[in-house]
């Protein structure tokens, strides 16, 4: 059986938080161990430049994200784990795709349109204020990320579905002009993947500043969990687990049996302070071993680099010959 190629990128801005872990990292690590899959995971550092022009932040985030994935047990034998910038064929393909992608298609990209809409809401400003060409053509770079490895399946959040459709469009256009070179990728959106709520009850997101960093030291983790918003019911008063951030977060880490037990304790009026303690212990026990590995890895960047170099080598064994084929297809080759 032909293994299907799964590919996803992680933009290297920011520090991974519990929401990223539950929604994306944990399922991806699980999938990295599936012998029937051929997973590609990469640090999307060229994507980071679109929204972050602070070199130290991009560097630090790349280190933290790589250490996080390795500490959590990513299977780098089965999966190919690399840094986008170590695979120069991606950038080269990105230009070839830029020359077949229509500008009209890019005009319709939500990420770009959202910024234009914001600008238009502020009267008298330039609609393209603050928009660099990276943001405008970012779906093309994403298409190159995917097409260079002929990925079949791309696990993403809902906000990224449009980009995968654009990658299909661009691939089909290239195939139509130059012959069948690319498989058409498909977005995989896991409807069951939990989205965690943040400290204030809204979706946990860096843009709301309500996150709990995945590998917060124990004390800090406790402090942040204590900050999670609850209603003002007193100890002893029965509580409703629906729409309760403490309960839904607990659910993302506990077994069914444990969840049933806590549901019972809600009915019996567990105090919020007690529930926060229970939640802290649950999360802390769950992540402590990986956190220890993470802290050790961060102090050993050479080890991380080694893993990334091995990944890049595996990736380039595919991308380099494929790019030569594509160059030929478009008419760029040596004279003899
Ligand atoms: N743009 C994606 C995000 O912001 C990250 C990403 C970059 C990606 N290249 C990709 C995801 C290719 C899937 C495939 O989440």
């Amino acid at each position: 059986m032909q293994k299907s190629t799964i590919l996803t990128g992680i933009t290297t801005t920011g520090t991974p938080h519990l929401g990223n872990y539950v929604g994306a990292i944990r399922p991806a690590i699980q999938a990295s161990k599936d012998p029937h899959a051929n997973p590609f995971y990469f640090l999307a550092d060229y994507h980071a430049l679109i929204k972050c022009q602070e070199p130290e932040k991009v560097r630090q985030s790349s280190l933290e994200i790589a250490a996080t994935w390795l500490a959590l047990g990513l299977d780098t034998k089965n999966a190919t784990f690399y840094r986008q910038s170590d695979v120069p064929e991606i950038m080269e393909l990105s230009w070839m795709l830029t020359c077949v992608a229509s500008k009209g298609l890019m005009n319709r990209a939500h990420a770009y349109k959202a910024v234009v809409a914001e600008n238009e809401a502020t009267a008298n400003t330039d609609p393209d204020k603050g928009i660099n060409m990276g943001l405008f053509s970012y779906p093309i770079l994403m298409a190159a990320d995917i097409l260079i490895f002929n990925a079949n399946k791309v696990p993403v959040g809902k906000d990224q579905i449009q980009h995968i459709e654009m990658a299909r469009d661009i691939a089909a256009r290239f195939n139509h002009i130059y012959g069948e070179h690319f498989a058409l990728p498909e977005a995989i959106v896991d409807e069951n993947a939990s989205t965690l709520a943040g400290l204030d009850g809204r979706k946990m997101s860096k843009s709301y500043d309500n996150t709990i960093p995945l590998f917060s030291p124990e004390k800090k983790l406790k402090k942040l969990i204590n900050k999670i918003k609850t209603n003002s019911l007193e100890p002893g008063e029965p509580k409703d687990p629906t729409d309760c951030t403490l309960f839904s977060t607990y659910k993302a880490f506990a077994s069914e049996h444990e969840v049933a037990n806590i549901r019972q304790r809600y009915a019996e009026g567990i105090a919020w302070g007690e529930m926060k303690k229970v939640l802290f212990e649950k999360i802390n026990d769950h992540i402590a071993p990986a956190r220890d590995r993470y802290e050790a890895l961060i102090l050993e960047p050479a080890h991380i680099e080694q893993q990334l170099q091995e990944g890049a080598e595996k990736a380039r064994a595919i991308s380099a010959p494929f790019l030569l084929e594509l160059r030929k297809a478009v008419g760029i080759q040596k004279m003899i």
Side-chain angles (χ1 to χ4, degrees):
M1 196 187 76
Q2 170 104 41
K3 288 186 184 184
S4 77
T5 298
I6 310 176
L7 175 143
T8 202
I10 316 104
T11 306
T12 54
T13 46
T15 300
H17 56 67
L18 281 180
N20 300 138
Y21 172 67
V22 167
I25 309 174
R26 186 167 63 182
I29 300 232
Q30 201 57 38
S32 79
K33 302 185 168 115
D34 176 357
H36 303 294
N38 181 22
F40 283 70
Y41 298 134
F42 67 97
L43 306 174
D45 51 357
Y46 274 125
H47 285 269
L49 303 187
I50 297 168
K51 38 185 178 179
C52 180
Q53 297 182 339
E54 292 170 74
E56 186 45 35
K57 282 198 179 160
V58 174
R59 194 196 61 78
Q60 181 65 22
S61 171
S62 302
L63 174 69
E64 290 179 357
I65 293 173
T68 299
W69 284 64
L70 294 172
L72 289 167
L74 176 72
D75 180 349
T76 52
K77 290 274 170 296
N78 191 39
T80 304
F81 184 55
Y82 56 101
R83 184 164 40 205
Q84 181 185 35
S85 57
D86 282 338
V87 183
E89 291 79 19
I90 295 170
M91 291 313 296
E92 198 170 335
L93 175 58
S94 184
W95 182 255
M96 291 185 193
L97 299 179
T98 298
C99 297
V100 298
S102 65
K103 174 170 177 286
L105 183 68
M106 292 306 109
N107 286 340
R108 293 196 285 279
H110 315 305
Y112 158 72
K113 275 180 30 181
V115 186
V116 173
E118 235 173 79
N119 283 338
E120 279 169 349
T122 344
N124 294 328
T125 59
D126 171 6
D128 284 330
K129 185 162 180 251
I131 298 175
N132 58 44
M133 285 304 292
L135 178 67
F136 185 69
S137 38
Y138 135 74
I140 305 179
L141 179 56
M142 208 168 138
D145 292 330
I146 298 168
L147 300 178
I148 193 81
F149 298 113
N150 269 319
N152 312 100
K153 296 185 175 157
V154 187
V156 283
K158 286 200 186 73
D159 61 319
Q160 298 289 323
I161 298 176
Q162 188 196 32
H163 295 143
I164 313 305
E165 284 165 359
M166 289 180 163
R168 285 174 74 89
D169 261 31
I170 297 169
R173 181 96 182 247
F174 189 99
N175 286 349
H176 177 73
I177 303 172
Y178 296 116
E180 289 295 316
H181 295 278
F182 297 125
L184 302 187
E186 209 186 307
I188 304 291
V189 181
D190 184 356
E191 297 292 345
N192 298 319
S194 350
T195 27
L196 280 197
L199 301 176
D200 58 358
R202 290 185 292 175
K203 179 185 167 189
M204 190 181 287
S205 161
K206 208 172 41 155
S207 36
Y208 296 145
D209 197 17
N210 64 359
T211 67
I212 300 180
L214 173 58
F215 292 133
S216 310
E218 201 168 307
K219 263 196 185 154
K220 173 90 191 196
L221 179 65
K222 188 173 234 164
K223 218 168 136 184
L224 287 171
I225 289 174
N226 280 331
K227 273 196 184 168
I228 294 176
K229 216 167 109 187
T230 61
N231 59 27
S232 50
L233 290 174
E234 297 288 334
E237 287 186 81
K239 299 180 173 66
D240 184 1
T242 3
D243 287 330
C244 173
T245 304
L246 295 175
F247 185 80
S248 57
T249 311
Y250 184 79
K251 236 174 121 180
F253 292 91
S255 69
E256 254 176 61
H257 174 74
E258 290 167 323
V259 172
N261 182 36
I262 288 297
R263 198 182 284 282
Q264 178 62 27
R265 294 188 67 190
Y266 265 62
E268 291 163 5
I270 187 173
W272 290 134
E274 170 64 11
M275 181 56 199
K276 286 179 171 174
K277 218 169 109 204
V278 168
L279 179 62
F280 162 73
E281 274 159 18
K282 184 88 238 157
I283 297 181
N284 195 52
D285 288 352
H286 181 91
I287 63 168
R291 183 173 54 211
D292 290 346
R293 288 193 294 270
Y294 175 82
E295 284 166 0
L297 273 168
I298 286 281
L299 297 175
E300 226 191 315
H303 178 75
I304 301 176
E305 190 55 37
Q306 168 76 18
Q307 297 278 323
L308 289 172
Q309 287 311 317
E310 284 171 23
E313 207 174 303
K314 278 204 294 189
R316 292 201 70 197
I318 301 167
S319 61
F322 188 38
L323 193 84
L324 280 183
E325 172 192 322
L326 296 171
R327 278 191 180 195
K328 243 187 183 165
V330 302
I332 293 180
Q333 64 186 107
K334 298 228 183 330
M335 294 302 162
I336 44 160

